[in-house]
Amino acid sequence: MVTIQEAFSILNNNLPAPKVEILPLAKAKKHVLAEDLFAPISMPPFRQSAMDGFAFGLYDGLEYEIIGEVKAGDNHQVVLNAGQAVKIFTGAPVPDSATAVMQIEKVTVSGTVLKLAELPKQEQNIRPVGEQNLKGDLALTKGTLLNAACIGFLAGLGFTVVKVYQKPKIGILVTGNELVQPGLPLDFGKIYESNSVMLDIALQEAFYENTSIYNVNDDFENTKNKIAEALAENDVILISGGISVGDYDFVAKALEVLQVETLFYKVKQKPGKPFYVGKLNDKRIFALPGNPAASLTCFYVYVLPTLQIISGVNTDYGLTSSKKLTHDFTVSNARNQFLKAHIVGDKVTILTHQNSSMLNTFSISNGLVYVEDGGYLLAKGDAVEVYVIN
Ligand code: AMP
Ligand code: MG
């Protein structure tokens, strides 16, 4: 049995080396950049009109002759002499000989005669070459988590692929003879299987989408064979249930036979005492308690930070924020606890139904209050540590 802090530090000291891959830009959502990216072009690449209007060379009058037009995408050069103007549109290349653009709202046109309401200023309404960035500028740094704006920015610079940290392929193994898939009749003694979909969705919410689910019977051979299959096909496996000390809990024995090295087994915490982490080369194995709330708690506190670090996200274990309790609360336990809770602003309420088998109040939780063991009273307004979970 290890403490929570020991569990964090063992995980942190046994992280597999991150892997990188080249992905098409459109597939790189929520991946972390594995290299600095430098702009291959200046943006904008040419002097660009910022307005619909007229472009002309500066000339001390308010009247010009309109000699043509340039629209977005045109690539011809118009040579403007003193007193001449072209109609121009937003995004169109401004002729080299033009030194200002006047927006359409500030001119009057009759035939080919353009009259300005005011004298233009040098380079007004012209976006200079490289206004956003020059060719060769650092565009995004290694470690950036790619969001829609990043992807748009890179597409605008002409990137089609990016080098990112690979996200692990994850297998979810579900053990338990008592489990029935929702939709089937529920015979006496059975319960509906909820951990696989719950863990899979928790992974998807964090953008780990390369997952597979394996169903395992409570017998040694089947447990061993399915774990071996999942280990061969994935980088990380999450096992639900079967890791306790019951006669039909075969996960620990199967992992041992498969020569998975135990990093720790059992954590001094509530819920989630029967929690196991092991490694086999660069694969990581998390055996989570079968009780649904314990399983999900271990996922948020230990598994998710590990996945994030493996995939290049700059995060740490044990990250909590401080919130104020909305009520008195009596702590009475010999283990440190993660309590289902609801956060609003800087306040937090510990919910009912804390049992590790119950998900009803987890459904309305957006955080887990962390309390140290012992018998003591927390008062309304006291600051408590909270794991914010969504
Ligand atoms: P175990 O860790 O296998 O001893 O299971 C602990 C408790 O969690 C038992 O009451 C199981 O029936 C329940 N349980 C295990 N796996 C699941 C699951 N996938 N979905 C819902 N409940 C489960
Ligand atoms: Mg079981």
Side-chain angles (χ1 to χ4, degrees), residues 175-177 216-226 247-251 254:
T175 71
N177 285 352
V216 184
N217 299 330
D218 285 332
D219 82 70
F220 174 70
E221 280 301 313
N222 188 253
T223 304
K224 188 189 73 177
N225 293 341
K226 281 286 171 67
D247 289 351
Y248 297 92
D249 291 330
F250 294 111
V251 171

PDB file of all heavy atoms in Angstrom, residues 175-177 216-226 247-251 254:
ATOM      1  N   THR A 175     -13.976  -6.433 -16.413  1.00  0.00           N
ATOM      2  CA  THR A 175     -14.150  -7.762 -15.820  1.00  0.00           C
ATOM      3  C   THR A 175     -15.434  -7.808 -14.996  1.00  0.00           C
ATOM      4  O   THR A 175     -15.876  -6.786 -14.474  1.00  0.00           O
ATOM      5  CB  THR A 175     -12.983  -8.109 -14.871  1.00  0.00           C
ATOM      6  OG1 THR A 175     -13.099  -7.298 -13.688  1.00  0.00           O
ATOM      7  CG2 THR A 175     -11.637  -7.856 -15.514  1.00  0.00           C
ATOM      8  N   GLY A 176     -16.012  -8.987 -14.880  1.00  0.00           N
ATOM      9  CA  GLY A 176     -17.165  -9.169 -13.986  1.00  0.00           C
ATOM     10  C   GLY A 176     -18.244 -10.036 -14.607  1.00  0.00           C
ATOM     11  O   GLY A 176     -18.886  -9.623 -15.570  1.00  0.00           O
ATOM     12  N   ASN A 177     -18.470 -11.241 -14.035  1.00  0.00           N
ATOM     13  CA  ASN A 177     -19.520 -12.144 -14.544  1.00  0.00           C
ATOM     14  C   ASN A 177     -20.915 -11.603 -14.293  1.00  0.00           C
ATOM     15  O   ASN A 177     -21.870 -12.058 -14.901  1.00  0.00           O
ATOM     16  CB  ASN A 177     -19.404 -13.509 -13.851  1.00  0.00           C
ATOM     17  CG  ASN A 177     -18.239 -14.306 -14.381  1.00  0.00           C
ATOM     18  OD1 ASN A 177     -17.605 -13.899 -15.360  1.00  0.00           O
ATOM     19  ND2 ASN A 177     -17.943 -15.433 -13.748  1.00  0.00           N
ATOM     20  N   VAL A 216     -14.190  -9.256 -20.315  1.00  0.00           N
ATOM     21  CA  VAL A 216     -13.433 -10.359 -19.718  1.00  0.00           C
ATOM     22  C   VAL A 216     -14.303 -11.084 -18.693  1.00  0.00           C
ATOM     23  O   VAL A 216     -14.951 -10.448 -17.868  1.00  0.00           O
ATOM     24  CB  VAL A 216     -12.181  -9.793 -18.994  1.00  0.00           C
ATOM     25  CG1 VAL A 216     -11.326 -10.913 -18.446  1.00  0.00           C
ATOM     26  CG2 VAL A 216     -11.367  -8.897 -19.920  1.00  0.00           C
ATOM     27  N   ASN A 217     -14.300 -12.423 -18.762  1.00  0.00           N
ATOM     28  CA  ASN A 217     -15.012 -13.205 -17.739  1.00  0.00           C
ATOM     29  C   ASN A 217     -14.141 -13.346 -16.501  1.00  0.00           C
ATOM     30  O   ASN A 217     -12.927 -13.250 -16.583  1.00  0.00           O
ATOM     31  CB  ASN A 217     -15.317 -14.620 -18.241  1.00  0.00           C
ATOM     32  CG  ASN A 217     -16.194 -14.584 -19.474  1.00  0.00           C
ATOM     33  OD1 ASN A 217     -16.996 -13.673 -19.632  1.00  0.00           O
ATOM     34  ND2 ASN A 217     -16.012 -15.565 -20.342  1.00  0.00           N
ATOM     35  N   ASP A 218     -14.795 -13.623 -15.378  1.00  0.00           N
ATOM     36  CA  ASP A 218     -14.042 -13.842 -14.141  1.00  0.00           C
ATOM     37  C   ASP A 218     -13.476 -15.262 -14.115  1.00  0.00           C
ATOM     38  O   ASP A 218     -13.880 -16.099 -13.309  1.00  0.00           O
ATOM     39  CB  ASP A 218     -14.950 -13.614 -12.912  1.00  0.00           C
ATOM     40  CG  ASP A 218     -15.210 -12.137 -12.682  1.00  0.00           C
ATOM     41  OD1 ASP A 218     -14.366 -11.313 -13.057  1.00  0.00           O
ATOM     42  OD2 ASP A 218     -16.280 -11.819 -12.127  1.00  0.00           O
ATOM     43  N   ASP A 219     -12.555 -15.557 -15.040  1.00  0.00           N
ATOM     44  CA  ASP A 219     -11.784 -16.795 -14.890  1.00  0.00           C
ATOM     45  C   ASP A 219     -10.346 -16.495 -15.308  1.00  0.00           C
ATOM     46  O   ASP A 219     -10.095 -15.591 -16.103  1.00  0.00           O
ATOM     47  CB  ASP A 219     -12.419 -17.982 -15.634  1.00  0.00           C
ATOM     48  CG  ASP A 219     -12.087 -18.027 -17.100  1.00  0.00           C
ATOM     49  OD1 ASP A 219     -10.929 -18.305 -17.454  1.00  0.00           O
ATOM     50  OD2 ASP A 219     -13.001 -17.757 -17.906  1.00  0.00           O
ATOM     51  N   PHE A 220      -9.431 -17.230 -14.726  1.00  0.00           N
ATOM     52  CA  PHE A 220      -8.025 -16.873 -14.852  1.00  0.00           C
ATOM     53  C   PHE A 220      -7.542 -16.871 -16.300  1.00  0.00           C
ATOM     54  O   PHE A 220      -6.919 -15.903 -16.768  1.00  0.00           O
ATOM     55  CB  PHE A 220      -7.158 -17.805 -13.997  1.00  0.00           C
ATOM     56  CG  PHE A 220      -5.695 -17.556 -14.209  1.00  0.00           C
ATOM     57  CD1 PHE A 220      -5.110 -16.389 -13.738  1.00  0.00           C
ATOM     58  CD2 PHE A 220      -4.921 -18.458 -14.921  1.00  0.00           C
ATOM     59  CE1 PHE A 220      -3.763 -16.130 -13.966  1.00  0.00           C
ATOM     60  CE2 PHE A 220      -3.572 -18.201 -15.151  1.00  0.00           C
ATOM     61  CZ  PHE A 220      -3.001 -17.037 -14.677  1.00  0.00           C
ATOM     62  N   GLU A 221      -7.843 -17.950 -17.035  1.00  0.00           N
ATOM     63  CA  GLU A 221      -7.334 -18.077 -18.412  1.00  0.00           C
ATOM     64  C   GLU A 221      -7.845 -16.943 -19.290  1.00  0.00           C
ATOM     65  O   GLU A 221      -7.087 -16.328 -20.035  1.00  0.00           O
ATOM     66  CB  GLU A 221      -7.766 -19.429 -19.021  1.00  0.00           C
ATOM     67  CG  GLU A 221      -6.907 -20.594 -18.569  1.00  0.00           C
ATOM     68  CD  GLU A 221      -5.422 -20.415 -18.919  1.00  0.00           C
ATOM     69  OE1 GLU A 221      -5.120 -20.041 -20.066  1.00  0.00           O
ATOM     70  OE2 GLU A 221      -4.575 -20.622 -18.021  1.00  0.00           O
ATOM     71  N   ASN A 222      -9.169 -16.703 -19.180  1.00  0.00           N
ATOM     72  CA  ASN A 222      -9.764 -15.650 -20.000  1.00  0.00           C
ATOM     73  C   ASN A 222      -9.174 -14.290 -19.642  1.00  0.00           C
ATOM     74  O   ASN A 222      -8.842 -13.485 -20.515  1.00  0.00           O
ATOM     75  CB  ASN A 222     -11.286 -15.653 -19.816  1.00  0.00           C
ATOM     76  CG  ASN A 222     -11.982 -14.708 -20.789  1.00  0.00           C
ATOM     77  OD1 ASN A 222     -12.462 -13.660 -20.400  1.00  0.00           O
ATOM     78  ND2 ASN A 222     -11.997 -15.070 -22.069  1.00  0.00           N
ATOM     79  N   THR A 223      -9.011 -14.034 -18.347  1.00  0.00           N
ATOM     80  CA  THR A 223      -8.442 -12.754 -17.903  1.00  0.00           C
ATOM     81  C   THR A 223      -7.037 -12.593 -18.461  1.00  0.00           C
ATOM     82  O   THR A 223      -6.686 -11.562 -19.046  1.00  0.00           O
ATOM     83  CB  THR A 223      -8.419 -12.689 -16.356  1.00  0.00           C
ATOM     84  OG1 THR A 223      -9.745 -12.914 -15.873  1.00  0.00           O
ATOM     85  CG2 THR A 223      -7.921 -11.348 -15.860  1.00  0.00           C
ATOM     86  N   LYS A 224      -6.225 -13.648 -18.336  1.00  0.00           N
ATOM     87  CA  LYS A 224      -4.829 -13.580 -18.797  1.00  0.00           C
ATOM     88  C   LYS A 224      -4.785 -13.371 -20.313  1.00  0.00           C
ATOM     89  O   LYS A 224      -4.040 -12.510 -20.812  1.00  0.00           O
ATOM     90  CB  LYS A 224      -4.118 -14.887 -18.424  1.00  0.00           C
ATOM     91  CG  LYS A 224      -2.625 -14.853 -18.684  1.00  0.00           C
ATOM     92  CD  LYS A 224      -1.975 -16.201 -18.515  1.00  0.00           C
ATOM     93  CE  LYS A 224      -2.365 -17.071 -19.695  1.00  0.00           C
ATOM     94  NZ  LYS A 224      -1.764 -18.387 -19.723  1.00  0.00           N
ATOM     95  N   ASN A 225      -5.593 -14.147 -21.048  1.00  0.00           N
ATOM     96  CA  ASN A 225      -5.548 -14.048 -22.519  1.00  0.00           C
ATOM     97  C   ASN A 225      -6.015 -12.679 -23.015  1.00  0.00           C
ATOM     98  O   ASN A 225      -5.424 -12.099 -23.924  1.00  0.00           O
ATOM     99  CB  ASN A 225      -6.410 -15.151 -23.155  1.00  0.00           C
ATOM    100  CG  ASN A 225      -5.808 -16.515 -22.893  1.00  0.00           C
ATOM    101  OD1 ASN A 225      -4.619 -16.620 -22.571  1.00  0.00           O
ATOM    102  ND2 ASN A 225      -6.624 -17.559 -22.991  1.00  0.00           N
ATOM    103  N   LYS A 226      -7.071 -12.166 -22.400  1.00  0.00           N
ATOM    104  CA  LYS A 226      -7.590 -10.862 -22.849  1.00  0.00           C
ATOM    105  C   LYS A 226      -6.610  -9.740 -22.512  1.00  0.00           C
ATOM    106  O   LYS A 226      -6.424  -8.809 -23.295  1.00  0.00           O
ATOM    107  CB  LYS A 226      -8.963 -10.579 -22.217  1.00  0.00           C
ATOM    108  CG  LYS A 226     -10.111 -11.318 -22.900  1.00  0.00           C
ATOM    109  CD  LYS A 226     -10.432 -10.667 -24.234  1.00  0.00           C
ATOM    110  CE  LYS A 226     -11.408 -11.457 -25.085  1.00  0.00           C
ATOM    111  NZ  LYS A 226     -12.754 -11.558 -24.577  1.00  0.00           N
ATOM    112  N   ASP A 247     -11.965 -14.221  -4.294  1.00  0.00           N
ATOM    113  CA  ASP A 247     -11.537 -15.470  -4.950  1.00  0.00           C
ATOM    114  C   ASP A 247     -11.660 -15.404  -6.462  1.00  0.00           C
ATOM    115  O   ASP A 247     -11.046 -16.193  -7.181  1.00  0.00           O
ATOM    116  CB  ASP A 247     -12.400 -16.640  -4.438  1.00  0.00           C
ATOM    117  CG  ASP A 247     -12.053 -16.994  -2.992  1.00  0.00           C
ATOM    118  OD1 ASP A 247     -11.046 -16.450  -2.482  1.00  0.00           O
ATOM    119  OD2 ASP A 247     -12.797 -17.785  -2.389  1.00  0.00           O
ATOM    120  N   TYR A 248     -12.506 -14.486  -6.957  1.00  0.00           N
ATOM    121  CA  TYR A 248     -12.713 -14.409  -8.408  1.00  0.00           C
ATOM    122  C   TYR A 248     -12.097 -13.148  -9.013  1.00  0.00           C
ATOM    123  O   TYR A 248     -12.467 -12.727 -10.100  1.00  0.00           O
ATOM    124  CB  TYR A 248     -14.220 -14.535  -8.730  1.00  0.00           C
ATOM    125  CG  TYR A 248     -14.716 -15.897  -8.298  1.00  0.00           C
ATOM    126  CD1 TYR A 248     -15.251 -16.086  -7.025  1.00  0.00           C
ATOM    127  CD2 TYR A 248     -14.566 -16.996  -9.134  1.00  0.00           C
ATOM    128  CE1 TYR A 248     -15.647 -17.345  -6.591  1.00  0.00           C
ATOM    129  CE2 TYR A 248     -14.961 -18.267  -8.720  1.00  0.00           C
ATOM    130  CZ  TYR A 248     -15.499 -18.425  -7.448  1.00  0.00           C
ATOM    131  OH  TYR A 248     -15.877 -19.686  -7.036  1.00  0.00           O
ATOM    132  N   ASP A 249     -11.173 -12.562  -8.277  1.00  0.00           N
ATOM    133  CA  ASP A 249     -10.416 -11.411  -8.798  1.00  0.00           C
ATOM    134  C   ASP A 249      -9.092 -11.942  -9.358  1.00  0.00           C
ATOM    135  O   ASP A 249      -8.179 -12.265  -8.598  1.00  0.00           O
ATOM    136  CB  ASP A 249     -10.154 -10.394  -7.670  1.00  0.00           C
ATOM    137  CG  ASP A 249     -11.426  -9.700  -7.218  1.00  0.00           C
ATOM    138  OD1 ASP A 249     -12.336  -9.545  -8.055  1.00  0.00           O
ATOM    139  OD2 ASP A 249     -11.507  -9.309  -6.044  1.00  0.00           O
ATOM    140  N   PHE A 250      -9.012 -12.040 -10.679  1.00  0.00           N
ATOM    141  CA  PHE A 250      -7.856 -12.697 -11.296  1.00  0.00           C
ATOM    142  C   PHE A 250      -6.861 -11.741 -11.950  1.00  0.00           C
ATOM    143  O   PHE A 250      -5.880 -12.163 -12.542  1.00  0.00           O
ATOM    144  CB  PHE A 250      -8.343 -13.696 -12.356  1.00  0.00           C
ATOM    145  CG  PHE A 250      -9.097 -14.844 -11.758  1.00  0.00           C
ATOM    146  CD1 PHE A 250     -10.465 -14.974 -11.963  1.00  0.00           C
ATOM    147  CD2 PHE A 250      -8.444 -15.790 -10.969  1.00  0.00           C
ATOM    148  CE1 PHE A 250     -11.168 -16.033 -11.407  1.00  0.00           C
ATOM    149  CE2 PHE A 250      -9.143 -16.854 -10.408  1.00  0.00           C
ATOM    150  CZ  PHE A 250     -10.504 -16.978 -10.624  1.00  0.00           C
ATOM    151  N   VAL A 251      -7.140 -10.436 -11.875  1.00  0.00           N
ATOM    152  CA  VAL A 251      -6.315  -9.479 -12.626  1.00  0.00           C
ATOM    153  C   VAL A 251      -4.874  -9.456 -12.121  1.00  0.00           C
ATOM    154  O   VAL A 251      -3.931  -9.546 -12.922  1.00  0.00           O
ATOM    155  CB  VAL A 251      -6.965  -8.071 -12.588  1.00  0.00           C
ATOM    156  CG1 VAL A 251      -6.020  -7.025 -13.157  1.00  0.00           C
ATOM    157  CG2 VAL A 251      -8.284  -8.080 -13.359  1.00  0.00           C
ATOM    158  N   ALA A 254      -3.020 -12.572 -13.169  1.00  0.00           N
ATOM    159  CA  ALA A 254      -2.781 -12.586 -14.622  1.00  0.00           C
ATOM    160  C   ALA A 254      -1.657 -11.624 -14.999  1.00  0.00           C
ATOM    161  O   ALA A 254      -0.790 -11.951 -15.815  1.00  0.00           O
ATOM    162  CB  ALA A 254      -4.070 -12.217 -15.367  1.00  0.00           C
TER     163      ALA A 254
END
